[in-house]
Amino acid sequence: MKTKSEEKQCNIMGMVMIAPTRMIVADNTNFKIKLIDNEKCVVVTENKMSSQPVDVIILPENKLAVTLESEKCIQIMSYTDVDLSSDRRIDVKELCNGIAYCHYKFVVTCWSSKKIIIINLEGCILKVLRSPAMFNGPSRVLISKDEKFLYVTDRDLRSNSSVMKIDLEGNLISVFKESGYAVPYGLQQLEDETILVCFQDRGTVLRLTSSLKRCDIIGPEKENMYRPKAITYCHIYHKLYVSCSSEKGKQNADIVKIFNVKWI
C-alpha cells in the first residue's frame, strides 16, 4: 500500500471494491485515497486529500464518498479503472467517522458526539439517532439489504463496546457483546446477509448472522493477523481483503492481507 514518495507508514482505515480487480482504500496517515490493482497488488493512482480520510464507500454512477472527520465534511469523488478525481463536498457540521448510503441519503456515525445522523445529498439533517444509554462511540455503519436496519460497531475506550443492529428509529434490535471482543471496527455485509466484523483486540474477523449470532471466524490461531481495521469482500472471486498491522504492537494498518474464503 505504501508508495515510494511516502515517508509515513500507511494506515488503511477504509476499503471498498469497485470491480473484481480494483479496490479503493483510504490511507489516513498519508491523507490519500488510493486506487489499487488487486491482481498486481500495486497502487494505480492516488489522490491527495486536504485532511485525513476516515472511511470510503461506493456510490452510484462511478462515485465515491469519503469522510473527512476533522473538516466535518463528506468529499464526493469520481473514479474510473485508472483515475480518481475530486468533485463537490457536503458539509456535515459534525466530526464524521463511518458512512453508508441508500436512496439519496447518507448515514454518518459521529464517534465523539455519540450519535448517528441521516442526511440528504445537500447535507440537510433528516434524522438524528442519539441515545446515551445505547451509544458509547459509533464507528462504522452498514445498511441492511432490506434497508430497514443499521449495523453499527460501537467502540468505547473503557472496553464497553459492541456490535449493534438498530432500526431507523434508533431502537435496539440485537447486539453482539462477548468477553474478549472489546474493539470492533470494520464491517462488511455479504450476499447472504451475514456480517463480517473486525475485532482489533483479538486479531480476528468474526462472521455474524443478521441477528448478530456468531457463525464463523478468521482468527489469529491460523492467520497471524494483528489489529484488523478495514475489510471488504469480492463476491466474484471469493477473496477477503483485511487491512491490518504488519507487526505485533503496531497501531497502523499498514498492509492488506488477502484470504480465499467462499461463503454460501
Side-chain angles (χ1 to χ4, degrees):
M1 292 297 130
K2 189 173 184 287
T3 60
K4 292 181 179 179
S5 64
E6 294 169 351
E7 296 182 1
K8 294 182 179 179
Q9 290 292 324
C10 301
N11 188 20
I12 307 302
M13 295 185 68
M15 297 195 297
V16 64
M17 303 294 300
I18 61 171
T21 61
R22 290 289 190 273
M23 178 172 64
I24 301 290
V25 303
D27 182 352
N28 182 265
T29 56
N30 289 300
F31 290 50
K32 290 180 180 179
I33 297 296
K34 298 177 178 179
L35 172 60
I36 309 297
D37 184 319
N38 300 343
E39 290 186 320
K40 297 179 181 178
C41 296
V42 296
V43 178
V44 177
T45 189
E46 59 189 19
N47 198 326
K48 185 85 170 183
M49 311 302 287
S50 54
S51 62
Q52 294 174 302
V54 177
D55 199 8
V56 57
I57 58 170
I58 193 169
L59 303 177
E61 300 178 354
N62 284 29
K63 301 288 186 180
L64 303 168
V66 180
T67 50
L68 300 177
E69 183 174 24
S70 63
E71 295 186 65
K72 302 181 180 180
C73 73
I74 299 167
Q75 175 70 62
I76 305 299
M77 304 182 70
S78 298
Y79 70 86
T80 68
D81 282 348
V82 295
D83 196 24
L84 293 168
S85 60
S86 294
D87 294 344
R88 69 188 184 96
R89 286 188 170 198
I90 300 171
D91 188 9
V92 180
K93 301 182 179 67
E94 294 278 355
L95 294 171
C96 46
N97 196 282
I99 186 170
Y101 171 84
C102 180
H103 290 309
Y104 308 104
K105 295 187 291 289
F106 290 110
V107 180
V108 182
T109 63
C110 305
W111 185 80
S112 59
S113 55
K114 301 182 180 181
K115 63 185 176 183
I116 294 175
I117 59 175
I118 300 175
I119 63 174
N120 63 19
L121 300 187
E122 285 70 48
C124 297
I125 294 177
L126 305 176
K127 187 174 294 187
V128 177
L129 306 181
R130 186 174 195 170
S131 170
M134 181 184 298
F135 296 134
N136 293 295
S139 178
R140 291 296 187 264
V141 61
L142 286 175
I143 300 174
S144 65
K145 289 188 178 297
D146 61 11
E147 301 168 4
K148 295 180 180 179
F149 303 101
L150 303 177
Y151 296 98
V152 183
T153 51
D154 190 56
R155 298 186 301 120
D156 180 68
L157 298 179
R158 297 163 299 179
S159 299
N160 187 24
S161 302
S162 63
V163 184
M164 295 184 292
K165 180 180 182 179
I166 62 176
D167 65 21
L168 296 181
E169 299 302 318
N171 300 305
L172 183 63
I173 305 302
S174 54
V175 63
F176 176 86
K177 187 174 182 178
E178 281 190 15
S179 176
Y181 291 88
V183 192
Y185 204 80
L187 285 170
Q188 171 71 43
Q189 189 171 34
L190 301 178
E191 289 294 312
D192 64 358
E193 299 187 32
T194 57
I195 307 295
L196 302 179
V197 187
C198 296
F199 283 89
Q200 291 184 293
D201 55 319
R202 289 293 292 260
T204 295
V205 175
L206 281 187
R207 179 170 167 245
L208 306 176
T209 67
S210 59
S211 58
L212 301 185
K213 303 296 183 183
R214 182 204 296 247
C215 60
D216 205 356
I217 184 171
I218 297 175
E221 297 83 4
K222 297 184 294 182
E223 309 301 348
N224 211 28
M225 190 160 48
Y226 304 119
R227 295 187 63 79
K229 188 168 287 186
I231 189 168
T232 190
Y233 183 70
C234 175
H235 300 278
I236 296 176
Y237 293 148
H238 308 294
K239 289 185 181 293
L240 176 68
Y241 299 84
V242 184
S243 73
C244 53
S245 301
S246 56
E247 299 174 14
K248 190 173 183 179
K250 267 192 176 183
Q251 297 298 310
N252 280 9
D254 57 336
I255 63 171
V256 174
K257 286 200 169 188
I258 306 171
F259 305 95
N260 291 309
V261 188
K262 185 175 182 180
W263 285 287
I264 299 175

